[in-house]
Amino acid sequence: MYFDTQTLTQLVERCFDLSMSGAVPPATRAEYLAHGKRLRELLMRLLGARFDAASAEFQKASASLSDTNQELARAAQDVKQATQVVARLGELAGYLDQALAVAGKVIA
């Protein structure tokens, strides 16, 4: 049996995407980059490997791959949403500035 390299490829790509996201703290970006590189190396080795699907190691790795990929997808979406909210905050500030510009009297 072959390992699910397509899912692993998605996971590696998400690691690299998050490693370049300004919405992620620098230390965490470095960790995503390191994990992405390590997982990419493992992916290259797994491409030609065959496994006994009944082995505990294969089953544990497959389950962990699926779970981790789903969690990473949610984290990437959360980062995207957080970035969108930051943009909306800037937009809101602009609208508030415009509203204040037409206000009759502002008490300071």
Side-chain angles (χ1 to χ4, degrees), residues 40-99:
R40 181 181 59 191
E41 177 186 319
L42 291 168
L43 170 64
M44 299 306 291
R45 293 176 49 206
L46 286 167
L47 284 171
R50 292 181 143 244
F51 297 90
D52 174 7
S55 73
E57 295 81 5
F58 180 81
Q59 291 179 3
K60 185 185 285 187
S62 293
S64 179
L65 173 64
S66 178
D67 293 345
T68 303
N69 194 41
Q70 290 174 7
E71 288 177 31
L72 193 56
R74 282 192 296 273
Q77 185 62 31
D78 288 347
V79 167
K80 181 179 177 184
Q81 288 174 347
T83 302
Q84 290 170 346
V85 170
V86 168
R88 300 268 329 249
L89 290 169
E91 187 178 285
L92 172 61
Y95 291 147
L96 293 174
D97 281 337
Q98 291 172 4

